[in-house]
């Protein structure tokens, strides 16, 4: 048991808009749920208590859900203020996450522990400092380093590919298909996605199988 | 001092062809050299002995260079066979590499230590097993897992964003500009590259500054 609550923000209504070229809205919702399930499984496997912070009511089988439709940073900061223990914030679009990678994050010393995400984001963090707050809008990693400095909190950084790669764009699906192992990659494969290689470069392909949209 | 030689394959002639849309050939050569310099600096800083495996003669100031114009895997396997000590193979297009990340690779136990790269590649590995060989063509990570199994070698995997992100495509330059700190990112900035954010998404931009090609 790790004495850290892990907040997992989730948008189940209009998730992953940058995947709209390859997945319809219903599909994106299903896929987002599969990614969330991957993340929650890992959180529970390491013995942390997950709390889903959802924009809309949601049933995720036994996991606590707080509904808050305010902007992401506002909602997360409210949860952090309420908490009397250490908190982690782990994004729900990290289906490559493993228990080993999450343990490295949760067990690392430091008032603030940050995991660098591609495109300048902060895919996961731990805070043990009451004055720390999050700010997820654009380039959050540097902002979080700055906020930590401003409140006098020590910072540790976790260097992890599995925490670093979030799924935003079609190219990220290639990454998931190549390296994933869980509900989200199963969902992709069940819906006809695969990678092919041309000139050694993996590219995303979708076969004409039974899904809602059969091609793109 | 770490008793591992680190082989760094390098193509100084026609490097990084997938950056051709944003960098001319001369620029790609300069940029590739800057990335190589970043990697060699880290290798030396951790106390490993670097050996550049170059397709053409090259002067990299005091670092040993072996010239071999055969295909990458053939050349690397030849070097591995010659070596009487543990060897690491670290790609030259990892300008986000840090000493901490490389140390994690070099110090990890296991006959074979692999660092997963984006797009299914193997950006860095250590071999301490005489029968192991590399095969870098398309999807090498799974191949290396299989080769290790076939020769009965134990495998450890290092989960690192900094070892995982190699620079192949224009999008990767965004990553380097956001998270880098070394010769390669300096080169990019000196040549007018920067990131701008639209809708929170970082995109690559090049200003009209003095470089060889002033725009793309």
């Amino acid at each position: 048991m790790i004495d850290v609550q892990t907040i997992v923000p989730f948008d189940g209504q209009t998730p992953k808009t940058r995947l709209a070229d390859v997945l319809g809205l219903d599909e994106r919702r299903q896929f987002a749920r599969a990614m969330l399930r991957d993340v929650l499984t890992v959180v529970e496997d390491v013995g942390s208590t997950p709390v889903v912070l959802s924009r809309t009511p949601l049933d995720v089988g036994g996991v606590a859900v707080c509904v808050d439709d305010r902007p992401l940073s506002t909602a997360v900061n409210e949860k952090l203020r309420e908490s009397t223990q250490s908190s982690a914030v782990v994004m729900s679009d990290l289906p490559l996450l493993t228990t080993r990678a999450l343990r490295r994050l949760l067990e690392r010393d430091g008032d603030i522990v940050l995991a660098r995400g591609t495109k300048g984001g902060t895919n996961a963090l731990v805070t043990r400092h009451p004055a720390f707050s999050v700010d997820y809008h654009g380039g959050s990693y540097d902002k979080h380093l700055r906020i930590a400095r401003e409140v006098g909190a020590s910072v540790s950084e976790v260097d992890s590919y599995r925490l670093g790669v979030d799924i935003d764009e079609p190219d990220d699906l290639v990454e998931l298909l190549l390296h994933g192992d869980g509900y989200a990659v199963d969902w992709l494969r069940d819906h006809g996605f695969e990678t092919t290689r041309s000139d050694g470069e993996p590219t995303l392909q979708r076969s004409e199988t039974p899904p809602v949209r059969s091609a793109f």
Side-chain angles (χ1 to χ4, degrees), chain A:
Chain A
M1 195 65 190
I2 294 180
D3 189 26
V4 177
Q5 73 164 347
T6 298
I7 300 164
V8 183
F10 182 68
D11 174 4
Q13 281 307 102
T14 51
K16 301 288 121 197
T17 49
R18 279 150 62 209
L19 291 177
D21 286 348
V22 297
L23 290 173
L25 177 59
D26 254 17
E27 291 181 321
R28 298 205 310 276
R29 286 177 178 161
Q30 292 170 30
F31 178 60
R33 282 292 293 259
M35 292 199 289
L36 175 66
R37 208 172 150 197
D38 280 331
V39 170
L40 293 178
T41 301
V42 172
V43 172
E44 292 189 317
D45 283 353
V46 302
S48 173
T49 308
V51 181
V52 177
L53 188 57
S54 175
R55 297 182 65 81
T56 49
L58 187 73
D59 178 3
V60 277
V63 174
V65 176
C66 289
V67 178
D68 191 330
D69 64 0
R70 289 175 297 175
L72 175 63
S73 301
T74 311
V76 169
N77 283 328
E78 177 71 23
K79 286 303 292 175
L80 292 179
R81 262 192 301 274
E82 283 170 11
S83 175
T84 54
Q85 55 176 162
S86 303
S87 295
V89 185
V90 175
M91 293 299 146
S92 62
D93 58 355
L94 304 175
L96 292 166
L97 190 61
T98 58
T99 54
R100 187 171 183 151
L102 185 57
R103 253 190 223 110
R104 281 176 58 212
L105 179 89
L106 299 180
E107 294 175 351
R108 180 69 59 87
D109 289 335
D111 294 333
I112 308 297
V113 185
L114 299 175
R116 199 177 283 273
T118 55
K119 292 152 253 161
T122 312
N123 289 349
L125 62 82
V126 174
T127 170
R128 306 179 178 106
H129 195 289
F132 181 78
S133 60
V134 299
D135 181 353
Y136 281 108
H137 191 72
S140 69
Y141 199 82
D142 287 344
K143 285 184 187 170
H144 290 145
L145 287 174
R146 200 186 60 234
I147 293 167
R149 202 168 47 234
E150 284 168 2
V151 302
S154 67
V155 175
S156 304
E157 298 181 76
V158 172
D159 169 29
S160 166
Y161 160 87
R162 293 188 171 277
L163 285 161
V165 176
D166 51 348
I167 305 297
D168 285 324
E169 301 167 4
D171 271 359
D172 300 328
L173 299 182
V174 172
E175 213 50 31
L176 177 55
L177 284 161
L178 289 171
H179 301 289
D181 173 24
Y183 297 110
V185 72
D186 281 350
W187 187 93
L188 283 181
R189 293 201 182 109
D190 288 348
H191 288 75
F193 286 94
E194 58 186 4
T195 58
T196 54
R197 287 194 180 264
S198 57
D199 281 339
E201 282 318 298
T203 54
L204 187 66
Q205 205 166 53
R206 188 173 190 175
S207 62
E208 301 210 10
T209 40
V212 181
R213 295 173 66 204
S214 65
F216 64 86

